[in-house]
Amino acid sequence: KAGVTQTPRYLIKTRGQQVTLSCSPISGHRSVSWYQQTPGQGLQFLFEYFSETQRNKGNFPGRFSGRQFSNSRSEMNVSTLELGDSALYLCASSLVGGGRGKMGRTEAFFGQGTRLTVV
Amino acid sequence: KNEVEQSPQNLTAQEGEFITINCSYSVGISALHWLQQHPGGGIVSLFMLSSGKKKHGRLIATINIQEKHSSLHITASHPRDSAVYICAAGNQFYFGTGTSLTVIP
């Protein structure tokens, strides 16, 4: 079965612009989580969506937002881009995912990531 | 203090060597995950464990819940094992900084 698909794979944006990234989870998976990876901070949790509802949120400013559609596909949006937003953005899908203390009990499948460069 | 501490940060081994990567965590967990990331960025989930030990081929993962410690072992290492290994713990996936492994032929 198809894996997790992230689009686009690479993106170059100018400071101040906004960007939307897409993640299509494995068929049947209802949870999608987003992560930011930078050389300095490593992997950091952004947020998790389950059945179109944001269930968990990491410690990122409000410029970072997301949503999930009824088919479980998810998008994340970053507004007013800053140079420090340059990173690899990864999404992961799982059957159940987190929330209510259950996160971590189901295997997560990661996409290849979107490498965002802000210039 | 980081919620998840990994060691070593970098590791170089000769092909065939036995490798151990350690992970200590301070958060409450329902399961701990070991992830592998190859150059190019893609991440693969190697193990998810909440107790005891799991084995997949040459890879073995163990966890001690009382001591809040997990180890990833690679037996008979091979150059294709060269990657970054990351442990992830906690309800929101707190990540270790990763261990960069290079296996030399």
Side-chain angles (χ1 to χ4, degrees):
Chain A
K1 79 184 162 180
V4 179
T5 303
Q6 287 189 248
T7 56
R9 289 292 310 278
Y10 302 92
L11 204 49
I12 300 175
K13 288 286 188 179
T14 304
R15 196 169 44 181
Q17 287 187 310
Q18 75 163 16
V19 67
T20 300
L21 312 181
S22 177
C23 174
S24 293
I26 290 172
S27 178
H29 285 192
R30 296 167 66 189
S31 167
V32 174
S33 298
W34 287 90
Y35 305 89
Q36 181 196 65
Q37 187 178 36
T38 60
Q41 298 295 321
L43 271 163
Q44 292 182 284
F45 171 76
L46 278 157
F47 29 65
E48 186 224 356
Y49 285 86
F50 182 82
S51 293
E52 302 179 65
T53 300
Q54 187 181 87
R55 194 155 62 171
N56 291 295
K57 190 177 192 306
N59 189 25
F60 277 80
R63 300 186 297 106
F64 292 80
S65 63
R67 58 178 175 168
Q68 186 179 35
F69 302 95
S70 58
N71 62 358
S72 293
R73 188 177 72 85
S74 177
E75 289 181 347
M76 69 161 280
N77 184 77
V78 188
S79 62
T80 319
L81 284 165
E82 300 176 0
L83 295 178
D85 297 332
S86 295
L88 179 67
Y89 290 88
L90 292 150
C91 76
S93 81
S94 61
L95 271 173
V96 174
R100 293 176 172 73
K102 290 183 182 177
M103 187 162 191
R105 277 214 171 270
T106 56
E107 187 176 3
F109 295 84
F110 286 80
Q112 289 295 305
T114 294
R115 189 165 294 280
L116 171 65
T117 302
V118 182
V119 298
Chain B
K1 183 184 184 299
N2 293 332
E3 291 82 1
V4 180
E5 300 276 357
Q6 244 183 279
S7 63
Q9 283 196 340
N10 296 285
L11 188 53
T12 300
Q14 289 292 132
E15 183 174 356
E17 282 187 13
F18 181 87
I19 288 161
T20 296
I21 300 170
N22 295 300
C23 176
S24 296
Y25 56 92
S26 59
V27 293
I29 66 165
S30 51
L32 182 135
H33 297 243
W34 281 101
L35 310 172
Q36 180 192 57
Q37 186 172 32
H38 280 284
I43 289 180
V44 173
S45 175
L46 296 174
F47 294 101
M48 178 186 68
L49 65 164
S50 54
S51 65
K53 175 174 153 177
K54 284 190 175 180
K55 184 174 187 289
H56 289 157
R58 295 179 295 105
L59 272 59
I60 303 166
T62 62
I63 189 167
N64 184 319
I65 297 293
Q66 285 73 30
E67 294 184 5
K68 295 194 171 183
H69 182 268
S70 177
S71 293
L72 176 68
H73 306 285
I74 304 176
T75 63
S77 59
H78 190 277
R80 65 174 174 265
D81 298 326
S82 298
V84 175
Y85 293 84
I86 303 166
C87 70
N91 285 345
Q92 291 186 355
F93 268 177
Y94 293 102
F95 295 93
T97 52
T99 295
S100 179
L101 171 65
T102 302
V103 181
I104 300 169

